[in-house]
Amino acid sequence: MSKPILVLKFGSAAITKGNGELNQLVMVEIARQVAQLYAEYHLVIVSSGAVAAGRQYIRHYAGEIAQRKAAAAIGNLLLLNKYAQFFAPYEIPVAQSLCERGHFANRDQFLQMKETFQELWDNGIIPIVNENDVVSSRELKFSDNDELATLIAVGFGADTLMLCTSVGGLLDDRGTIIRKVAQVNDVFKYVRTDKSSVGLGGMTSKLTFAKLAMRMGIRTIIFGMAEPDSILRALREETGTVFAPQESALSARNRWLGSGSLVAGRIRIDSGAAQALQNRKSLLAVGIKEVEGDFEAGEAVEIVDEEGASVAVAKAKEASGIITKNLRTQNFEVANANDIVLL
């Protein structure tokens, strides 16, 4: 029987010091605890820290795009070497996987990546994943590695997604960690946005992607590395914040399709079309009010209602230009019911 998949994400704040140097004590702990999970799970580690680790080698570093790319080119090597060093005592090899958005947006490329990861797991190797900052354009970058980790978890059908944070979990208005969340929308009010808060914007990102993972049936845990055995204890739900997964019977293909971060365009529909989708009908051109973006047949698009709220994600049967030309054409199918995932 195949092992369950566990995706762990560590941000720059978790594995680097204030001066940008890698925090080797934390990385040693990651390796020690992950080694105890090695026999039970297929593991993926999504790790930031390459830019932070490499920027000290860039003269007059000011955070410009070219400087960040150069820092990442240096830092990725430093990062992987340290992970390899700290996993070596447990005789666990690691591999580097640098991802771009196109690897997820294109179904064929995604399946090739998934097949490669399976080959790594079959050989007892843990993939260490990061964004390919050296070549990623600003327009096609992941919003952050929380998104990258979530897309891997959703696309691969992970059992659990763990997101590390500097504050140890989601805090309520009294500064106490909330242990269990059933509805993410109920806890967005606790996210602080003042400039003095730790990791400005970081918790908003984690909640956004925790919501996606929950919807796809994946248990999500936000935790910190400050406590002893923090990864192991968080996985046992003894620390951190646990987001309970919702029931999901989606196929692997529709899980990939249903992750809203992959859309190439947007289609706004009227109330009649929205109701038809809820009744598991196909999307016809006559129910479309507006087509946004330039997409090709076969690409994923977001479907929104008249108020702009997301209704579904679908695989378009036709390119955006052809759809726009046929908005008044009767029985012109834009997306088949089998290619539509309701949100």
Side-chain angles (χ1 to χ4, degrees), residues 193-243:
T193 56
D194 57 285
K195 291 186 179 179
S196 63
S197 64
V198 177
L200 179 61
M203 189 56 71
T204 300
S205 169
K206 286 175 176 58
L207 291 182
T208 298
F209 294 113
K211 182 178 180 180
L212 170 61
M214 290 171 68
R215 194 173 69 223
M216 297 297 165
I218 299 169
R219 180 179 64 150
T220 304
I221 303 171
I222 296 178
F223 72 106
M225 286 296 294
E227 300 181 32
D229 289 334
S230 50
I231 298 173
L232 302 174
R233 294 182 63 225
L235 192 58
R236 296 195 297 263
E237 302 187 6
E238 296 173 2
T239 186
T241 302
V242 179
F243 296 79

Side-chain angles (χ1 to χ4, degrees), residues 243-274:
F243 296 79
Q246 299 173 4
E247 290 292 327
S248 176
L250 293 176
S251 65
R253 177 179 173 279
N254 280 351
R255 279 199 308 269
W256 167 80
L257 184 63
S259 58
S261 300
L262 307 173
V263 296
R266 180 176 290 108
I267 295 175
R268 190 180 302 273
I269 61 175
D270 60 28
S271 58

